[in-house]
């Protein structure tokens, strides 16, 4: 009794201290905890720990090996270096550190022994102690850990089994368990609920957001309609769409049934020269068209233009989602090698295998189609409508690329984030089905958004000084797609996103009409963690990493916007002779056609039309349209643009960035796809940080031999040496001239342009590494017209001193390959 009373007395004395500690912990909120030197998230549990581990560093990290401790939690595999600074307890939590990998991003776990390699699964057994642990990730990274000889064998085996059983749970499709492990704690939920959204970007979630975009683009004759506020007209479209001012909502409702999934023609963007970009799905078959329906459909299709409408068919030239999935799978197998046996493609077959993936072919086709649309929009005086069967995949790619090419606002970080919100998230791209986080069925899986990021990287690579965002930003967004923690990628449309985020019902009253109300039944669960948007970069990366997402750009001179109704129609009358007002044309495979059944209600006067029809691909019927558009495209530009004679003044910010599309000019995104390629080359022995990597030494020897050949060449001149100038020079838009080399069509192949020997070595920070190949050549070769494929100036280099670089005469036949090994 005496002992118990003393214990009770001590506990009573400690109660104030315990209460004070609890209050202090509650005020901390979501601050991380320090467990064995690891900064854990609130609610994160450490499952296994192994000391004396070395992590193999990538080329961007400086190569070599870094000593530290390896952890496995129920959310990630974390590596803490030995000399890492102590974490700040008052700092906000970061989901993943610089050396961490999320369990949901791991695809394979490989244990490397003295004489064998084994693919470790949850049910497999190890008969040897691993010396090396290799984690292959879905985002093309490879994490390699080497165990020290003094590391206990029991710790090595335990952490290998723990990672193998945790990253691939027994129950398939348990993404919710992974989300709860990172965001499901009470502290983390409270922290996320208090997070503020970035006010500098446009989220396109309200009518005011769309009105702000209309004002920025000067589209005064368009309005924001809430006809789909309850998703009755279309389940996949957003609540708000932009339609012409003269079309009423009552008339607009009759148009939804004539298009697949109710995705009617709607406004996306307006070019400063007066053209409008629209998106729509294919026309529905077996739909009866009344006279009022025909009038409403034409008003929506033509928008606010009165002269021409060009419908760009995207299904004939662009790859299908199944093609993109197959190409990406082949690219992964090429870059990472055979995961189970760690066998890579031989070097002499690497380029041909890359060409066989068709990944670069699909990038070229997307860039070519976006370039064609950009040329049409730049000419002004017409409406361009992108048409796809479902309007949810390749139309997102092309419309986004067109706006990146033509609008400098979308080449900034906040502008690009708003573009993804507008053309992908709110437009109903099936992120949840295309990314397939659950891995239950791969029938609809296709990395369409990753293809778009690669296309944007190609534009950034050829015009680096015209972008405020960097390749680090694109790489971070690429990696964020593979992390099922963000609301941006976990829904197929805004309707599904609204159902998950809140319990919303509809109530109708005679006074207020339909209004949202909280209802008792909903598909969302209150226990689910609140998912942040992917644009919350402070939750994912440190300040140092986020500073590398942007770079300074030169200020662009403002351009006077052409308001609706004030178009410059001062063209010769003979140019409009063959293409009268109200004409609709089809652009497919680089040719214009004028079929009688496009729009379908024009096939006859009865209101019905033929169920199946074929569209001719010949341009013989519309020579006047080609002359008209070519004349508009080649009209003399204002004085602030480059002239045909070569004198260059201030850049026109709205001249499209038309990339070079020849085979040697297409690059492989090395910083993304080849991050783990060196691990497949059997360099598993540790290399010290002050000792060059074997690949670096080989690259240095090749560079030395190349320099010696250049010095020994008697005809080498400084003019030819300028071919290997720094690609990061302040580039100009070479497509501003009336004669330029954009190579929109495969027939345009300059004979004198030497192929580059490098593609993508430079990054947005730091000098190039020792293994960097020589930079790509300058783009000052022969110039061609960019519309309709007619060569304007097909001159060859007359300088007899010029000789192509070594190896240029032995290029393989290129059908979309890239010289990027």
């Amino acid at each position: 009794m005496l002992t118990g009373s003393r214990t009770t007395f001590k506990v009573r004395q400690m109660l104030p201290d315990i209460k004070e500690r609890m209050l202090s912990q509650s005020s901390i909120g979501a601050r991380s905890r320090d467990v064995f030197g690891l900064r854990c998230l609130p609610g994160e549990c450490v499952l296994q720990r192994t000391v004396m581990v070395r992590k193999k560093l990538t080329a961007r990290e400086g190569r070599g090996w870094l000593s530290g401790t390896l952890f496995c939690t129920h959310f990630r595999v974390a590596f803490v270096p030995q000399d890492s600074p102590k974490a700040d307890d008052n700092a906000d939590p970061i989901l993943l550190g610089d050396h961490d990998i999320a369990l949901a991003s791991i695809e394979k776990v490989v244990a490397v022994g003295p004489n064998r390699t084994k693919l470790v699964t949850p049910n497999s057994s190890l008969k040897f102690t691993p010396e090396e642990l290799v984690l292959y990730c879905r985002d093309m990274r490879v994490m390699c850990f080497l165990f020290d000889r003094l590391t206990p064998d029991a710790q090595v085996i335990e952490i290998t089994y723990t990672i193998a059983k945790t990253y691939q749970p027994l129950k398939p499709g348990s993404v919710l368990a992974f989300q709860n492990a990172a965001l499901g704690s009470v502290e983390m939920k409270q922290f996320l609920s208090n997070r503020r959204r970035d006010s500098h970007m446009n989220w396109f979630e309200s009518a005011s957001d769309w009105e702000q975009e209309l004002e920025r683009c000067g589209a005064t004759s368009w309005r924001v309609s809430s006809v789909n506020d309850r998703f009755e007209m279309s389940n996949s479209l957003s609540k708000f769409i932009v339609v012409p001012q003269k079309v009423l909502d009552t008339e607009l409702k009759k148009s939804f049934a004539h298009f697949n999934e109710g995705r009617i023609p709607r406004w996306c963007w307006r070019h400063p020269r007066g053209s409008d970009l629209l998106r729509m799905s294919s026309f529905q078959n077996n739909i009866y068209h009344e006279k009022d329906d025909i009038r409403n459909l034409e008003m929506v299709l033509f928008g606010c233009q009165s002269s021409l409408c060009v419908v760009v068919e995207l299904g004939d030239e662009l790859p299908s989602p199944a093609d993109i999935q197959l190409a990406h799978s082949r690219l992964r197998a090429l870059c990472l090698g055979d995961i189970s046996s760690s066998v890579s493609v031989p070097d002499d077959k690497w380029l041909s295998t890359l060409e066989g993936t068709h990944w670069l072919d699909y990038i070229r086709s997307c860039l070519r189609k976006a370039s064609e649309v950009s040329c049409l929009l730049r000419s002004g005086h017409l409406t361009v409508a992108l048409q796809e069967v479902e309007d949810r995949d390749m139309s997102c790619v092309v419309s986004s690329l067109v706006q990146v090419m033509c609008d400098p606002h979308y080449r900034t970080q906040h502008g690009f984030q708003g573009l993804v919100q507008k053309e992908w998230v709110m437009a109903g791209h099936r992120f949840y089905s295309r990314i397939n986080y659950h891995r239950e069925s791969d029938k609809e899986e296709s990395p369409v958004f990753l293809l778009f990021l690669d296309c944007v990287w190609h534009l950034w690579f050829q015009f680096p000084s015209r972008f405020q965002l960097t390749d680090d930003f694109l790489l971070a967004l690429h990696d964020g797609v593979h992390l099922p923690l963000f609301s941006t990628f976990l829904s197929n449309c805004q309707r599904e996103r609204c159902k998950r985020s809140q319990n919303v019902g509809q109530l109708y009253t005679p006074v207020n009409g339909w209004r949202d109300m909280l209802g008792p039944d909903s598909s969302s669960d209150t226990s689910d963690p609140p998912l942040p948007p992917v644009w919350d970069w402070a939750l994912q990366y440190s300040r140092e990493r986020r500073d590398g997402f942007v770079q300074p750009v030169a200020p662009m001179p403002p351009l006077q916007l052409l308001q609706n109704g004030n178009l410059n129609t001062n063209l010769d009358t003979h140019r409009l002779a063959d293409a009268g007002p109200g004409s609709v044309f089809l652009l497919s495979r680089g040719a214009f056609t004028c079929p009688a059944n496009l729009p379908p209600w024009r096939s006859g006067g009865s209101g019905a039309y033929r169920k199946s029809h074929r569209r001719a691909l010949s341009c013989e019927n519309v020579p006047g349209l080609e002359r008209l558009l070519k004349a508009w495209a080649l009209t003399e530009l204002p004085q602030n643009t480059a002239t045909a004679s070569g004198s260059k003044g201030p850049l026109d910010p709205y001249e499209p960035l038309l990339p070079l599309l020849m085979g040697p000019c297409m690059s492989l995104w090395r910083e993304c796809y080849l991050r783990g390629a060196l691990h497949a080359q059997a360099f598993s022995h540790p290399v010290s940080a002050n000792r060059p990597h074997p690949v670096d030494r080989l690259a240095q020897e090749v560079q030395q031999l190349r320099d010696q050949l250049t010095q020994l060449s008697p005809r080498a001149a400084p003019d030819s040496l300028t071919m290997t100038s720094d690609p990061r020079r302040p580039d100009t838009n070479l497509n501003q001239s009336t004669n330029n080399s954009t190579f929109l069509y495969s027939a345009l192949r300059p004979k004198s342009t030497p192929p580059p020997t490098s593609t993508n070595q430079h990054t947005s920070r730091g000098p190039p590494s020792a293994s960097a190949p020589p930079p790509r050549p300058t783009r000052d070769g022969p110039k061609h017209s960019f519309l309709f494929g007619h060569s304007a100036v097909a001159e060859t280099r007359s300088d007899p001193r010029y000789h192509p670089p070594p190896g240029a005469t032995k290029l393989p036949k290129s059908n979309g390959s890239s010289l990027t090994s």
Side-chain angles (χ1 to χ4, degrees):
M1 291 293 296
L2 182 61
T3 306
S5 61
R6 289 179 178 177
T7 305
T8 305
F9 178 75
K10 290 183 178 180
V11 171
R12 288 178 179 177
Q13 283 185 331
M14 294 172 60
L15 279 177
D17 297 337
I18 295 175
K19 290 182 179 180
E20 185 178 355
R21 291 180 183 178
M22 293 177 63
L23 291 175
S24 63
Q25 290 180 359
S26 63
S27 63
I28 290 176
R31 291 177 184 174
S32 305
R33 298 174 294 107
D34 194 354
V35 181
F36 301 110
L38 174 65
R39 187 183 178 187
C40 295
L41 298 174
E44 186 177 10
C45 302
V46 176
L47 303 179
Q48 191 63 36
R49 177 175 66 103
T50 303
V51 297
M52 290 181 289
V53 181
R54 283 184 286 181
K55 176 183 179 291
K56 189 171 186 179
L57 302 179
T58 61
R60 177 167 292 191
E61 296 171 338
R63 300 200 186 278
W65 297 76
L66 188 64
S67 300
T69 305
L70 185 64
F71 295 87
C72 178
T73 71
H74 63 324
F75 164 64
R76 56 177 170 165
V77 175
F79 179 80
V80 179
Q82 239 174 12
D83 54 351
S84 61
K86 186 178 180 180
D88 186 7
D89 295 336
N90 297 325
D92 291 335
I94 297 179
L95 294 177
L96 298 173
D98 295 337
H99 304 285
D100 301 346
I101 183 69
L103 292 175
S105 300
I106 300 177
E107 185 175 13
K108 300 292 181 182
V109 177
V110 177
V112 181
N115 299 314
R116 59 180 303 184
T117 300
K118 182 176 180 58
L119 182 66
V120 184
T121 61
N123 299 323
S124 62
S125 59
L126 284 175
K127 298 182 180 179
F128 62 94
T129 302
E131 297 180 353
E132 191 174 345
L133 185 64
V134 184
L135 306 180
Y136 290 85
C137 307
R138 293 190 175 103
D139 55 5
M140 309 293 283
R141 285 188 297 171
V142 176
M143 309 288 282
C144 183
F145 301 98
L146 183 69
F147 299 107
D148 194 88
R149 295 181 180 179
L150 300 178
T151 306
D153 295 346
Q155 290 188 10
V156 174
I157 296 177
E158 283 296 328
I159 199 168
T160 303
Y161 275 129
T162 303
I163 295 175
K165 293 179 180 179
T166 309
Y167 93 93
Q168 192 176 7
L170 299 178
K171 182 181 179 181
S174 58
V175 177
L176 181 59
F178 171 78
Q179 295 170 354
N180 285 324
L183 311 174
S185 64
V186 178
E187 298 88 354
M188 202 66 181
K189 287 183 178 180
Q190 182 180 4
F191 174 75
L192 293 176
S193 62
N194 295 330
R195 300 283 290 179
R196 294 184 178 180
R197 287 190 169 186
D198 192 351
S199 60
H200 295 89
M201 63 171 287
N202 195 334
W203 294 84
F204 291 96
E205 293 182 349
S206 62
S208 59
D209 294 341
W210 287 97
E211 291 173 355
Q212 177 184 350
E213 179 69 6
L214 289 175
E215 183 180 359
R216 190 189 68 86
C217 296
T220 57
S221 295
W222 298 83
R223 68 178 181 89
V224 181
S225 173
S226 59
V227 67
N228 195 41
D229 58 346
R230 294 187 295 132
F231 306 105
E232 288 184 343
M233 302 293 101
S234 176
N235 292 332
S236 59
L237 285 180
S238 61
K239 292 183 178 181
F240 306 99
I241 57 177
V242 179
V243 296
Q245 285 273 16
K246 53 188 176 183
V247 181
L248 302 178
D249 286 349
T250 55
E251 301 173 343
L252 196 63
K253 290 181 179 180
K254 302 177 182 179
S255 305
F256 285 90
H258 299 285
F259 296 87
N260 290 338
E261 298 187 11
R263 302 178 68 86
I264 63 173
R266 62 203 183 278
W267 180 88
C268 294
W269 178 72
R270 179 175 176 81
H271 195 280
R273 299 188 186 279
S275 299
D276 292 307
L277 178 65
L278 277 64
R279 286 177 56 178
M280 66 178 182
S281 62
S282 299
F283 299 105
Q284 278 278 20
N285 293 331
N286 299 328
I287 298 295
Y288 181 78
H289 303 278
E290 298 180 354
K291 292 184 178 180
D292 292 339
D293 295 345
I294 296 176
R295 183 180 63 86
N296 295 333
L297 288 172
E298 289 187 346
M299 290 174 62
V300 174
L301 184 61
F302 278 87
C304 298
Q305 304 291 341
S306 60
S307 55
L308 291 178
C309 176
V310 178
V311 177
V312 180
E313 179 62 46
L314 302 180
D316 296 336
E317 301 175 68
L318 300 182
S320 64
D323 297 335
I324 298 175
Q325 171 65 15
L326 180 60
H328 192 263
S329 301
R330 292 175 176 175
L331 182 66
R332 287 183 54 84
L334 171 65
C335 296
L336 298 181
D338 189 353
I339 295 177
S340 58
S341 60
S342 298
V343 176
S344 59
V345 178
D347 293 341
D348 56 346
K349 298 182 179 179
W350 203 91
L351 289 177
S352 59
T353 308
L354 175 63
E355 181 180 0
T357 63
H358 299 292
W359 180 256
L360 296 177
D361 286 338
Y362 298 155
I363 294 175
R364 178 187 291 107
S365 61
C366 294
L367 291 174
R368 178 183 292 115
K369 179 59 66 176
S371 300
E372 294 175 1
V373 176
S374 299
C375 293
L376 290 176
L377 290 171
R378 180 209 167 278
S379 63
H381 314 281
L382 76 162
T383 299
V384 180
L386 304 180
Q387 184 181 49
E388 192 184 11
V389 177
E390 296 181 349
D391 184 36
R392 303 182 71 177
D393 289 307
M394 301 314 297
S395 60
C396 301
V397 177
V398 176
S399 61
S400 302
L401 288 178
V402 168
Q403 296 175 60
V404 171
M405 289 179 178
C406 298
D407 197 339
H409 171 69
Y410 293 123
R411 297 195 286 269
T412 64
Q413 179 183 353
H414 294 103
F416 186 82
Q417 293 176 175
L419 177 67
V420 175
Q421 284 287 130
K422 180 179 67 171
E423 299 297 335
W424 293 81
V425 180
M426 292 298 143
H429 177 67
R430 290 187 289 250
F431 278 111
Y432 187 78
S433 301
R434 294 307 185 199
I435 300 176
N436 191 16
Y437 288 117
H438 288 283
R439 309 295 175 188
E440 294 178 350
S441 175
D442 57 352
K443 293 182 180 179
E444 295 186 355
E445 182 179 356
S446 178
V448 180
F449 185 70
L450 301 184
L451 179 71
F452 162 69
L453 292 182
D454 205 334
C455 294
V456 176
W457 179 88
H458 275 78
L459 293 174
W460 174 89
F461 179 68
Q462 295 195 20
F463 304 96
S465 65
R466 305 294 292 273
F467 282 79
Q468 186 201 44
L469 56 87
T470 63
D471 60 337
D472 287 342
F473 172 82
L474 298 175
L475 189 61
L477 185 55
H478 174 276
D479 295 343
V481 173
H482 298 85
L483 199 61
L485 288 178
F486 307 110
S487 59
T488 309
F489 307 124
L490 284 171
S491 298
N492 289 330
C493 58
Q494 188 183 11
R495 181 172 178 267
E496 295 182 6
R497 198 170 293 107
C498 291
K499 281 187 175 183
R500 191 202 183 281
S501 61
Q502 56 184 351
N503 191 357
V504 176
Q506 295 286 337
L507 176 65
Y508 180 82
T509 59
V511 178
N512 299 323
W514 286 100
R515 290 292 184 269
D516 294 341
M517 60 168 292
L518 294 178
D521 51 354
S522 176
S523 59
S524 61
D525 189 358
T526 55
S527 62
D528 293 351
L531 301 178
V534 72
W535 317 120
D536 193 355
W537 300 114
L539 189 64
Q540 309 171 50
Y541 297 99
S542 61
R543 170 61 65 180
E544 292 76 16
R545 289 289 303 273
R546 284 179 281 144
D547 290 341
F549 287 175
V550 294
Q551 64 181 0
V553 292
M556 291 293 181
L559 185 65
Q560 185 67 29
L561 299 177
L562 292 177
Q563 304 293 336
N564 295 106
N566 298 325
L567 301 181
N568 179 18
T569 56
N570 237 351
L571 296 175
D572 296 339
T573 55
H574 73 275
R575 296 178 180 177
L576 293 168
D578 297 328
S583 302
V584 180
F585 297 93
L586 175 70
L587 174 61
S588 179
R589 299 185 182 275
F592 292 92
T593 58
C594 186
N597 47 15
L598 179 68
W601 55 84
R602 295 188 177 183
S603 58
S606 61
Y609 72 102
R610 294 187 298 272
K611 180 177 180 180
S612 60
H613 56 272
R614 298 183 60 85
R615 295 167 177 167
L617 298 179
S618 173
C619 60
E620 298 176 357
N621 298 329
V622 284
L625 176 65
E626 291 198 356
R627 290 199 310 269
L628 173 66
L629 294 180
K630 184 177 180 181
W632 284 347
L634 302 182
T635 304
E636 186 68 22
L637 300 180
Q639 296 181 358
N640 63 340
T641 59
T643 59
S645 60
S647 60
K648 299 179 181 179
L651 297 177
D652 185 354
Y654 289 91
E655 279 300 299
L657 303 181
L658 304 180
L660 301 173
L661 299 179
M662 291 187 64
C665 300
M666 300 300 296
S667 311
L668 186 67
W669 192 359
R670 291 183 55 181
E671 288 80 5
C672 178
Y673 303 127
L674 299 184
R675 286 182 286 179
L678 293 180
H679 296 280
Q681 299 182 8
F683 293 119
S684 59
H685 58 280
V687 181
S688 61
N690 55 0
R691 181 180 175 186
H693 196 274
V695 176
D696 290 339
R697 295 200 302 267
L698 180 60
Q700 291 175 3
E701 294 178 3
V702 173
Q703 184 63 34
Q704 291 176 1
L705 292 175
R706 186 173 297 165
D707 295 340
Q708 292 178 5
L709 289 175
T710 304
Q711 295 175 0
L712 294 176
S713 177
R715 300 205 236 178
D719 293 341
S720 62
L721 296 180
T722 59
M723 300 291 293
T724 59
S725 60
D726 186 8
R728 296 298 304 273
R729 70 192 191 285
D731 57 329
T732 58
N733 187 2
L734 301 182
N735 306 296
Q736 292 173 343
S737 176
T738 57
N739 301 322
N740 51 68
S741 55
T742 61
F743 309 106
L744 296 185
Y745 302 94
S746 57
L748 300 180
R749 300 292 176 90
K751 299 180 180 180
S752 63
T753 303
T757 56
S758 171
T759 53
N760 57 353
Q761 180 62 28
H762 69 275
T763 58
S764 62
R765 60 185 181 190
S769 60
S771 60
R776 59 188 296 130
T778 57
R779 298 183 292 275
D780 295 331
K783 301 179 181 295
H784 296 258
S785 62
F786 58 81
L787 208 55
F788 315 117
H790 300 299
S791 176
V793 183
E795 298 178 358
T796 57
R797 184 182 292 268
S798 60
D799 190 354
R801 302 173 299 171
Y802 170 75
H803 286 272
T809 58
K810 297 183 179 181
L811 284 176
K813 296 180 180 180
S814 174
N815 190 19
S817 64
S818 171
L819 305 179
T820 57
S821 60

